[in-house]
Amino acid sequence: MMHKLLVFRRESQFTQKAANASELKKRQEVIYAFRRIHKAVRCTHDPLELLFIADFALSSTTKGVIVECGAFKGGSTSKLSILSRLLNKELHVFDSFEGLSEPSAAEKEDAGFTGVAQTWQGGQFAGSLAEVSNNVKKYGFIDKTVFHKGYFKETMPTETPGQIAFAFVDCDLVSPAQDCVRHIWPKLQPGGRLFFHDVIFRKFSEGITDFAFWQTHLKEPPPVLWGAGYGCGDMAPNVGFFEKY
Ligand SMILES: C[S@@+](CC[C@H](N)C(=O)[O-])C[C@H]1O[C@@H](n2cnc3c(N)ncnc32)[C@H](O)[C@@H]1O
């Protein structure tokens, strides 16, 4: 459980980064909207993790849309949709809307260096398209949100947008995350970031940085995974990212 004082301190730092009055207004709006969403919608991310991503997004001038892979009930989706409005970018949301795909025997269990361990099951974390879109309508901004229903390996090869500014992948399992990397990385614009939840898990971090996977599908060595094993500080303890130079 995150300490209230820590949340307050990190939120204050988030607003202090504003360069001018209109930027300050935007950042305050993000904090209020994110607090409201986190209270109203069941989320699997920590309260400040999307604020960590928002901090990057609001300081970035990278062109392209926002992509989310893994929506659950639409808590992270609603937060990203607020950013889509403030940044005037489309938000593309990919999900089966039927929960996790069936994990392979190797994917069923994962554990991290911080003592965290998890077992995954097919169908876990299901949120229907109606649930997610209703939450976005109620708590976020639906006008620029585009939904792509289906397993990543079926939708992403043909439906991934051509220019991506940043993406948030939160699908727990290695092979779906690799599907996301294969299709997002080539479209990620210079200066963009590909964020992941779950980098505290060892198999997950190893899987998305696997040398043979990168050589085969992306014809380049894997980039640095910032946050591998330990996350990105107390604001984003489960989050890591690749940065495109
Ligand atoms: C942990 S939940 C996402 C949590 C959400 N981002 C949040 O912060 O509340 C994982 C999501 O990934 C989706 N998912 C997992 N494997 C998938 C696959 N192979 N194709 C499409 N969606 C998948 C599930 O349906 C689920 O919505």
Side-chain angles (χ1 to χ4, degrees):
M1 184 61 77
M2 202 166 270
H3 197 284
K4 273 189 180 157
L5 191 62
L6 172 69
V7 173
F8 180 70
R9 192 177 294 149
R10 295 290 175 249
E11 286 178 347
S12 306
Q13 287 168 341
F14 177 79
T15 51
Q16 281 160 17
K17 284 194 184 172
N20 52 47
S22 86
E23 176 83 0
L24 177 65
K25 203 167 153 240
K26 272 188 196 169
R27 285 183 174 248
Q28 284 168 336
E29 197 181 326
V30 167
I31 287 176
Y32 297 136
F34 282 20
R35 277 190 199 156
R36 179 167 181 250
I37 294 164
H38 212 86
K39 253 194 195 162
V41 185
R42 222 170 107 212
C43 294
T44 62
H45 61 272
D46 280 18
L48 294 175
E49 289 187 316
L50 268 291
L51 203 63
F52 175 77
I53 294 174
D55 190 34
F56 162 77
L58 293 173
S59 333
S60 164
T61 53
T62 302
K63 286 200 173 70
V65 304
I66 306 168
V67 169
E68 177 180 52
C69 300
F72 186 33
K73 301 293 181 190
S76 48
T77 319
S78 300
K79 292 182 184 182
L80 292 171
S81 77
I82 298 288
L83 298 179
S84 88
R85 178 168 62 73
L86 293 174
L87 298 168
N88 193 27
K89 289 179 182 298
E90 283 181 0
L91 167 63
H92 288 256
V93 182
F94 291 81
D95 202 295
S96 64
F97 298 105
E98 293 176 7
L100 301 191
S101 45
E102 201 52 51
S104 66
E107 282 175 329
K108 268 197 159 65
E109 289 173 3
D110 209 342
F113 301 101
T114 55
V116 63
Q118 181 84 37
T119 310
W120 313 110
Q121 285 167 18
Q124 207 176 355
F125 303 119
S128 69
L129 179 51
E131 274 179 292
V132 175
S133 62
N134 284 339
N135 280 329
V136 176
K137 271 183 209 146
K138 207 161 164 190
Y139 304 110
F141 182 69
I142 197 82
D143 297 17
K144 284 190 166 290
T145 308
V146 182
F147 294 102
H148 302 264
K149 180 171 164 47
Y151 290 112
F152 302 141
K153 65 174 187 299
E154 286 148 17
T155 53
M156 299 203 80
T158 53
E159 296 175 35
T160 306
Q163 284 196 321
I164 300 172
F166 68 95
F168 178 47
V169 172
D170 183 3
C171 63
D172 305 317
L173 304 173
V174 174
S175 57
Q178 287 181 335
D179 291 330
C180 298
V181 172
R182 275 179 71 177
H183 298 290
I184 292 170
W185 184 254
K187 312 278 179 69
L188 192 66
Q189 298 303 293
R193 284 186 184 174
L194 172 46
F195 292 95
F196 300 90
H197 207 250
D198 312 310
V199 301
I200 48 167
F201 294 112
R202 188 175 177 142
K203 282 186 200 167
F204 185 88
S205 280
E206 283 175 348
I208 58 168
T209 54
D210 182 72
F211 193 83
F213 161 77
W214 274 83
Q215 284 300 335
T216 308
H217 297 289
L218 296 143
K219 313 282 180 243
E220 58 180 294
V224 171
L225 176 60
W226 297 100
Y230 297 91
C232 290
D234 54 21
M235 242 181 130
N238 305 284
V239 172
F241 60 91
F242 293 142
E243 191 158 40
K244 191 85 174 259
Y245 296 105

